[in-house]
Amino acid sequence: MHRIAVLAGDGIGPEVMTESLRVLDAVEAKFDFTTERTEALVGGAALDATDNETPLPKATIQACEASDGILFGSVGGPKWENLPPDIQPERGALLPLRKHFGLFANLRPGVCLPSLTHASPIKNELVPDGFDVLCVRELTGGVYFGTPKGREERDGEPVAFDTMVYKKSEIERILHVAFTAAMQRDKRVTSVDKANVLATSVLWRETAIEVAGHYPDVTLDHLYVDNAAMQLCRRPGSFDVLVTENLFGDILSDEMAMISGSLGMLPSASLGSKKEGTDLYFGMYEPSGGSAPDIAGQGIANPIAQILSASMLLRYSLGEGEAADALDAAVARTIDDGLRTGDIATGAEGETRVGTREMADAVIERL
Ligand code: IPM
Ligand code: MG
């Protein structure tokens, strides 16, 4: 029996979460295991329930602590945009969750299936076979969390400052995650930095070269982040694993998600340390896209990012790799068979337009 914390959150979060849990029911029946699920409030939903006290109640943290992994929906929306920044759903819930659970490794797959190249804004002749890039983003260090951080008066005017800081050990451990992932893939790592300007990047690059020594089968190359941003939209098919620090990863992973065609297809995993004596991580799994308030409640959101997030949870935190493989294959067949929510539809022949629930049904049928 596995224990998972279910944090649906806001916007389309609850509706895609409901569908992913139905899919999970079907996976469990087929592969003969069970999950005990504890639902907890997060984001705007938690603010509403606590009279705007917090987007991350203690009970939610406790539910997560008692679990093997967290299945997360999405948080945020216009209703909470004018609250003080510290309690806004994104900053007040996501960042503290990452920090509290030490979720330092953010895996964001940027996959454009060959059958969905039309959805990519990249000229199709540049990506005839789609592409499959894995972005590995450092998630608990760098300028997001460095101190001093703040704002004060200097010489009669407001001054604000953030600090970008990295310990070598923080760089090493994220690079090991990237190289380990590359070993299961095409064995190529591109490390992205700004070593022509930043001291943290000089240390980053040195460390990348050192860590690469432990993985003789993997080739390593380096790109400055500005160049990486260009190359990603010029030759996305040429990358295998990208690894980079927190802020660069925030920006590049959004670029990658955009060029892959639909955010509605992309899951993500934020992993902490390994559970003792196992190869499993404590982790939080969530769609790469946001809460999409503009389409929430209409039953039209693509549930696949949430379904694939559940698959990553099965693989990395629950040790149900076979079930995860089957689920990934069922999703791929669903797309191959032409089922399309609005975000990935073109109206081409052979496509069937479906809503959130029907898309999940189609995945369940193909399991
Ligand atoms: C992300 C988001 C967050 C980040 C925000 C919401 C704090 O953009 O997960 O990429 O910057 O990390
Ligand atoms: Mg981001």
Side-chain angles (χ1 to χ4, degrees):
M1 153 92 87
H2 306 292
R3 281 172 308 175
I4 62 179
V6 175
L7 277 50
D10 311 318
I12 59 170
E15 59 203 272
V16 293
M17 183 65 84
T18 301
E19 297 312 318
S20 73
L21 293 177
R22 280 205 309 122
V23 173
L24 194 56
D25 288 338
V27 172
E28 290 179 19
K30 184 167 160 95
F31 287 87
D32 202 21
F33 65 91
T34 52
T35 56
E36 181 191 294
R37 305 166 191 171
T38 307
E39 295 187 13
L41 292 170
V42 73
L47 284 164
D48 287 352
T50 62
D51 202 10
N52 280 351
E53 191 191 316
T54 174
L56 185 63
K58 278 217 179 63
T60 299
I61 297 186
Q62 282 160 359
C64 295
E65 281 171 344
S67 75
D68 298 308
I70 307 166
L71 191 59
F72 192 95
S74 52
V75 292
K79 184 172 176 194
W80 308 282
E81 258 165 28
N82 297 317
L83 292 173
D86 283 352
I87 60 161
Q88 282 184 18
E90 295 88 342
R91 240 173 96 174
L94 268 182
L95 298 186
L97 274 170
R98 290 173 185 170
K99 202 67 188 173
H100 183 82
F101 290 101
L103 307 175
F104 70 92
N106 185 213
L107 310 186
R108 295 190 172 177
V111 178
C112 178
L113 297 172
S115 55
L116 291 181
T117 49
H118 62 79
S120 169
I122 303 286
K123 280 198 199 106
N124 279 10
E125 64 257 34
L126 292 177
V127 287
D129 311 314
F131 52 86
D132 177 353
V133 188
L134 177 66
C135 180
V136 178
R137 167 186 175 195
E138 201 291 325
L139 203 60
T140 50
V143 75
Y144 272 62
F145 295 99
T147 52
K149 183 186 208 52
R151 205 183 146 117
E152 62 191 31
E153 283 279 303
R154 284 185 204 162
D155 301 324
E157 66 170 329
V159 173
F161 45 87
D162 299 283
T163 304
M164 187 184 270
V165 55
Y166 270 107
K167 293 191 280 199
K168 182 164 177 173
S169 54
E170 290 176 301
I171 304 174
E172 274 170 353
R173 65 180 183 178
I174 189 71
L175 280 155
H176 280 295
V177 171
F179 277 95
T180 306
M183 290 291 290
Q184 311 292 323
R185 300 171 45 103
D186 206 31
K187 302 192 171 55
R188 291 179 296 120
V189 170
T190 302
S191 171
V192 175
D193 62 39
K194 189 73 185 171
N196 49 348
V197 178
L198 301 175
T200 44
S201 281
V202 173
L203 180 61
W204 184 281
R205 192 173 281 216
E206 278 168 26
T207 308
I209 293 168
E210 242 178 73
V211 170
H214 297 278
Y215 303 86
D217 295 341
V218 179
T219 52
L220 168 69
D221 64 356
H222 308 270
L223 284 179
Y224 295 138
V225 61
D226 48 351
N227 189 20
M230 289 199 297
Q231 302 307 327
L232 251 184
C233 62
R234 216 187 61 158
R235 50 177 179 93
S238 72
F239 294 103
D240 182 24
V241 175
L242 282 177
V243 59
T244 192
E245 67 89 43
N246 203 344
L247 180 61
F248 298 163
D250 178 44
I251 298 166
L252 290 183
S253 63
D254 262 28
E255 183 187 353
M256 200 186 63
M258 185 68 226
I259 63 176
S260 76
S262 175
L263 267 180
M265 297 287 298
L266 303 179
S268 78
S270 302
L271 307 180
S273 45
K274 281 196 182 153
K275 296 178 200 170
E276 242 178 70
T278 72
D279 260 336
L280 302 176
Y281 295 87
F282 184 80
M284 178 161 107
Y285 302 85
E286 62 184 304
S288 283
S291 57
D294 52 321
I295 59 163
Q298 300 176 30
I300 59 173
N302 188 346
I304 289 190
Q306 191 75 56
I307 292 169
L308 291 176
S309 297
S311 164
M312 291 183 98
L313 164 75
L314 292 172
R315 191 182 302 284
Y316 292 106
S317 289
L318 307 188
E320 300 289 354
E322 206 190 325
D325 287 343
L327 180 49
D328 292 352
V331 167
R333 274 197 296 278
T334 304
I335 297 299
D336 281 348
D337 288 348
L339 285 101
R340 300 283 185 268
T341 40
D343 55 322
I344 50 174
T346 57
E349 220 176 293
E351 286 186 359
T352 311
R353 269 300 273 276
V354 292
T356 311
R357 190 176 181 92
E358 296 153 285
M359 189 65 124
D361 283 336
V363 173
I364 292 170
E365 266 166 39
R366 287 164 180 76
L367 260 174

